[in-house]
Amino acid sequence: MTSVPSVLNGGEPAGIGSGGDTVTLVEGGTFCLSERRGDVLAGRSHGLFFRDARVLSRWQLHVDGQPPEPLSVQTPEAFAAQFIMRRAPRVGVADSTLLLVRDRLVADGMRETISLHNLDVEPTVVALELFADADFADLFTVKEGRAPISGAELTLIDNELVLTDRANRVRGVKVTASGNPTALPGSFRWRIVVPPRGTWQAEIVVDPTWANHSIKTRFRRGEQLGSSEPVRKIEAWRDTTTTVETDDAVLAQTVRRTESDLGALLISDADGRPFVAAGAPWFMTLFGRDSLLTAWMSLPLDVGLSIGTLQQLAGAQGRRVDPLTEEQPGRILHEIRRGPASADVLGGSTYYGSIDSTPLFVMLLAECWRWGGDEEQVRALVPAADAALAWATRYGDRDDDGFIEYRRATDRGLINQGWKDSFDAISDAAGHLADPPIALCEVQGYQYAALRARADLADAFGEPATAGRLRDRAAALQSRFADAFWLPDRGYYALALDGDKRPVDSLTSNVGHCLWTGIATDEHVAVMVERLAGEEMTSGFGLRTLATTMGAYNPMSYHNGSVWPHDTAIAVAGLLRYRHVPGAVELAERLAVGLLDAAAAFGGRLPELFCGFPRTQFHTPVPYPTSCSPQAWASAAPLLLVRSFLGLEPDVPHRRLTVCPQLPKVWGRVALTDLRLGEATVRIEAEGAAAEVTGLPEEWQLVTSQN
């Protein structure tokens, strides 16, 4: 039996089959995995998932007793698909005259419309059969590839197929169909005569149930996709967010997909507070690190997303010590799960085993303030930020050496608790795994930035003495970090300090996060730019997580040589923070252009990660087989690229806007329209190093240089 830590680790799912044969649809907390006919096949990781449980484990369509022949799949939105097929040609006949289309919409359930189009001049008889079953397996069970322990009790009630979880009768699903089918336990059957050049259609609706009551779905029977609630939601999201325009077709396509995917991953609680789920298929829930970084990257689109994320996380902030869930007072969670096996896997519905979510929370709160977040809402979250900093001192710094370390509390928790959380992600240059407690380099950067962020808030809210103390602590941390982590003979920061305080001396992308947070010194950055620019780190499609010269390097691994778009985007943002350092801007442009070339190869949607093979070996990026797509921080990464190259840094409380562009030449013109900064709405248009800002109130100061 696979151990629990591998269930939690993103890189360990078994049997997903999420390559080119799998179609993923997602909306809010609901998602569906199927093959290219639209079928959910039993025995695979396919299914319709609702509230972290698989409510359909089989959904298979036969035409005249056999599967139809696939022609194409169209996905106009992240939550909608059109499966285009034909009836398999009869023996001895080259072509088919029956077109079959399955239009699928996912949103707190599923609606599917089956259309038959007879292209012949005489009527055709069609036998159609749709098989349905459910196992109500927990998401973790499916993700790990284990056999489900439950199953469905199938009954017919008023020609509706009702499936109920045998193990826990609270969960269920109800399937109804039009077109006058014959309903049987486990299937619907139609026998149809489609007239010449005619069309026949049936609609099937899947409604999850809870305690025998149907969950309210957000689509109506018979309505067109364009008027459905999911489409209205995504259009409302687009209408209220900033519009990004550009001359570059690849960037334009990628940003458009970013808006669509973030909108599809958007979830609101009962109070309307929004957050972005981490990614499909396996992470459709609130995460700490993922949701925080996604919200940060998405600030140019919507500051309200950051406020909602912070409010959600503050509401679940740790209040007690619980080794099973790794909860500690002030700690920000790692993830929330609602599935039937959550207590067995996580020790409860909420798991706190993340070392970086807590300082990232404080960082984002101050950034929200600068971007014009509501003052009352920001002030209300300051106590949570103070509790987070108190956690860092009392629990994060395990040995009082000034650094934040982690060691899992029990054998059930994550072995590694930074963003590279697979079991083998933290190793030295020879490939040996580091022993805990482990102090990651980027986490010290996050803590440095968190201290400075809270100091900024203290200044804003009339606490100058507190601000001074926090900045002194940040300066002391920066000095200790330089002494302990810098490897002068290597020219980069150590990945971490191990349990014996020895540097873990591998060259990794983690150092790019140290640039982003500003903990790195100019003299160190000047050397690191050269190391990051080398072929051992740059693949041609982005920055590798681990250099090719390291002992653990494997371009097909999850964290040891792959390319993660969000990771590359953070490194780009870090390089442009040090744009005065020779070579930093040039490397940032090379990484960004390569990453967008990868986006073009993936149809405009950046996946969670892809393999780190060099571009000289393969001209297009090689997919990682179990990569999430869409995935939140990968989707948001292009927004961070745009913001960074624009040199866009608003300071709404002080009515100051900095715009200092250094755009890649291939981008041409880039414009942000309807950019909301507090009560101001501005337009920024830039090309190269030139920018024009319109709509800025007269009392605001426009800064066009960064020194």
Side-chain angles (χ1 to χ4, degrees):
M1 178 176 175
T2 306
S3 64
V4 168
S6 70
V7 180
L8 292 171
N9 285 341
E12 305 300 327
I16 293 179
S18 59
D21 185 52
T22 297
V23 178
T24 302
L25 301 182
V26 56
E27 208 287 326
T30 306
F31 66 93
C32 180
L33 299 179
S34 69
E35 49 88 88
R36 296 184 66 80
R37 292 184 182 89
D39 284 343
V40 169
L41 301 178
R44 298 180 63 177
S45 62
H46 293 162
L48 176 67
F49 294 81
F50 177 76
R51 293 183 180 175
D52 290 339
R54 181 162 61 183
V55 297
L56 281 182
S57 56
R58 188 187 185 195
W59 187 255
Q60 193 170 7
L61 185 67
H62 282 180
V63 179
D64 295 343
Q66 59 183 319
E69 187 176 275
L71 299 176
S72 177
V73 181
Q74 309 291 328
T75 52
E77 297 286 359
F79 46 78
Q82 193 171 59
F83 303 91
I84 304 169
M85 297 166 285
R86 67 178 187 173
R87 179 168 56 188
R90 295 184 175 90
V91 177
V93 178
D95 290 321
S96 171
T97 57
L98 183 72
L99 175 69
L100 186 148
V101 180
R102 302 171 77 174
D103 287 289
R104 180 173 297 167
L105 173 65
V106 169
D108 293 339
M110 188 172 77
R111 188 192 72 190
E112 182 163 309
T113 302
I114 301 174
S115 303
L116 302 179
H117 303 269
N118 182 9
L119 307 180
D120 205 349
V121 295
E122 62 179 342
T124 185
V125 178
V126 183
L128 204 64
E129 189 167 17
L130 180 65
F131 300 92
D133 200 358
D135 58 15
F136 299 99
D138 184 87
L139 184 74
F140 287 114
T141 298
V142 180
K143 180 176 181 285
E144 197 181 17
R146 291 182 282 127
I149 59 175
S150 184
E153 179 181 301
L154 285 73
T155 57
L156 290 174
I157 302 176
D158 297 330
N159 220 36
E160 296 176 345
L161 176 59
V162 178
L163 301 92
T164 307
D165 186 356
R166 288 199 195 102
N168 179 357
R169 300 189 64 82
V170 171
R171 293 180 183 269
V173 69
K174 179 177 67 175
V175 187
T176 57
S178 67
N180 298 315
T182 299
L184 301 170
S187 69
F188 290 99
R189 295 177 181 175
W190 297 264
R191 189 166 180 84
I192 312 130
V193 177
V194 187
R197 308 296 187 189
T199 299
W200 175 90
Q201 195 170 79
E203 183 180 72
I204 305 96
V205 175
V206 180
D207 289 316
T209 62
W210 190 265
N212 296 320
H213 295 287
S214 294
I215 304 297
K216 184 179 179 181
T217 57
R218 288 178 295 114
F219 49 76
R220 295 187 299 274
R221 297 176 185 276
E223 70 181 352
Q224 298 296 312
L225 174 64
S227 59
S228 66
E229 172 59 25
V231 170
R232 293 198 300 272
K233 170 191 162 187
I234 201 78
E235 291 301 329
W237 161 256
R238 288 172 177 149
D239 288 344
T240 58
T241 57
T242 306
T243 299
V244 183
E245 302 171 355
T246 175
D247 293 337
D248 183 65
V250 173
L251 179 59
Q253 177 193 29
T254 305
V255 170
R256 177 70 176 178
R257 175 58 77 173
T258 288
E259 293 174 344
S260 175
D261 286 349
L262 289 178
L265 294 169
L266 193 66
I267 302 175
S268 295
D269 68 1
D271 297 322
R273 298 178 301 186
F275 67 92
V276 174
W282 307 118
F283 306 111
M284 295 307 302
T285 185
L286 177 66
F287 270 65
R289 170 195 315 120
D290 298 59
S291 297
L292 287 164
L293 284 174
T294 300
W296 179 294
M297 295 178 181
S298 302
L299 279 166
L301 284 188
D302 180 19
V303 70
L305 176 59
S306 290
I307 291 291
T309 301
L310 290 164
Q311 290 172 331
Q312 294 269 0
L313 292 171
Q317 191 170 23
R319 289 170 173 78
R320 62 193 179 101
V321 174
D322 183 350
L324 194 58
T325 63
E326 306 209 39
E327 180 180 0
Q328 294 165 335
R331 195 173 197 180
I332 298 298
L333 62 84
H334 174 65
E335 67 177 292
I336 290 178
R337 293 294 186 180
R338 304 297 187 193
S342 295
D344 296 333
V345 176
L346 302 177
S349 63
T350 305
Y351 176 65
Y352 290 83
S354 165
I355 195 62
D356 47 11
S357 298
T358 309
L360 286 168
F361 177 93
V362 184
M363 289 172 59
L364 181 61
L365 181 60
E367 194 73 356
C368 278
W369 172 247
R370 286 187 283 269
W371 276 79
D374 180 80
E375 179 178 346
E376 183 178 345
Q377 292 176 324
V378 171
R379 283 182 179 271
L381 288 164
V382 168
D386 289 339
L389 291 179
W391 169 86
T393 300
R394 182 174 180 183
Y395 298 99
D397 185 0
R398 305 170 65 94
D399 54 8
D400 296 321
D401 67 343
F403 298 129
I404 297 179
E405 307 95 0
Y406 64 85
R407 180 202 289 269
R408 62 180 180 173
T410 73
D411 61 358
R412 297 174 64 90
L414 283 169
I415 295 173
N416 287 314
Q417 299 188 351
W419 85 261
K420 295 179 179 177
D421 58 3
S422 50
F423 79 96
D424 60 349
I426 310 302
S427 63
D428 63 17
H432 302 132
L433 298 182
D435 292 324
I438 294 171
L440 294 169
C441 65
E442 77 272 19
V443 173
Q444 315 318 312
Y446 300 157
Q447 177 66 3
Y448 168 81
L451 291 167
R452 293 183 59 85
R454 179 62 181 92
D456 289 346
L457 291 174
D459 276 337
F461 299 148
E463 307 171 77
T466 299
R469 287 195 299 270
L470 290 167
R471 290 196 177 97
D472 288 344
R473 287 177 57 188
L477 175 57
Q478 185 179 39
S479 178
R480 287 194 301 272
F481 176 80
D483 290 341
F485 280 80
W486 182 247
L487 304 174
D489 58 329
R490 308 291 182 90
Y492 53 83
Y493 292 123
L495 166 60
L497 303 181
D498 68 11
D500 294 322
K501 299 303 175 184
R502 293 175 301 196
V504 181
D505 60 348
S506 52
L507 174 56
T508 66
S509 61
N510 300 57
V511 300
H513 296 234
C514 297
L515 274 63
W516 177 56
T517 56
I519 196 172
T521 63
D522 284 4
E523 57 269 27
H524 291 167
V525 173
V527 180
M528 283 197 297
V529 166
E530 296 182 12
R531 297 307 310 269
L532 294 176
E535 292 184 357
E536 60 186 331
M537 283 299 293
T538 57
S539 72
F541 292 114
L543 194 68
R544 291 189 181 92
T545 48
L546 182 68
T548 60
T549 50
M550 299 295 107
Y553 171 70
N554 175 2
M556 298 183 295
S557 69
Y558 198 57
H559 287 128
N560 289 324
S562 55
V563 174
W564 288 64
H566 89 281
D567 185 39
T568 294
I570 286 175
V572 167
L575 288 164
L576 291 170
R577 180 178 186 137
Y578 294 85
R579 60 179 63 197
H580 55 281
V581 173
V585 173
E586 292 77 9
L587 176 56
E589 180 170 341
R590 184 151 58 98
L591 291 172
V593 171
L595 189 60
L596 289 172
D597 286 346
F602 288 113
R605 173 186 281 167
L606 283 166
E608 178 187 19
L609 73 155
F610 49 89
C611 294
F613 293 107
R615 193 166 183 166
T616 53
Q617 183 176 3
F618 301 111
H619 296 305
T620 58
V622 176
Y624 183 81
T626 59
S627 177
C628 286
S629 185
Q631 201 259 3
W633 59 16
S635 295
L639 299 174
L640 184 58
L641 296 180
V642 170
R643 170 189 171 181
S644 301
F645 280 104
L646 283 173
L648 176 60
E649 297 295 339
D651 186 352
V652 174
H654 296 97
R655 294 180 172 84
R656 184 169 61 244
L657 176 63
T658 299
V659 181
C660 184
Q662 285 191 298
L663 299 179
K665 186 176 180 179
V666 295
W667 286 10
R669 180 189 64 91
V670 173
L672 303 185
T673 61
D674 296 323
L675 175 63
R676 294 168 178 82
L677 301 173
E679 296 182 356
T681 301
V682 304
R683 173 184 172 87
I684 301 172
E685 187 167 346
E687 186 168 358
E692 180 182 356
V693 180
T694 56
L696 196 67
E698 291 183 1
E699 65 271 18
W700 280 56
Q701 176 189 7
L702 178 63
V703 181
T704 56
S705 64
Q706 293 180 340
N707 297 317

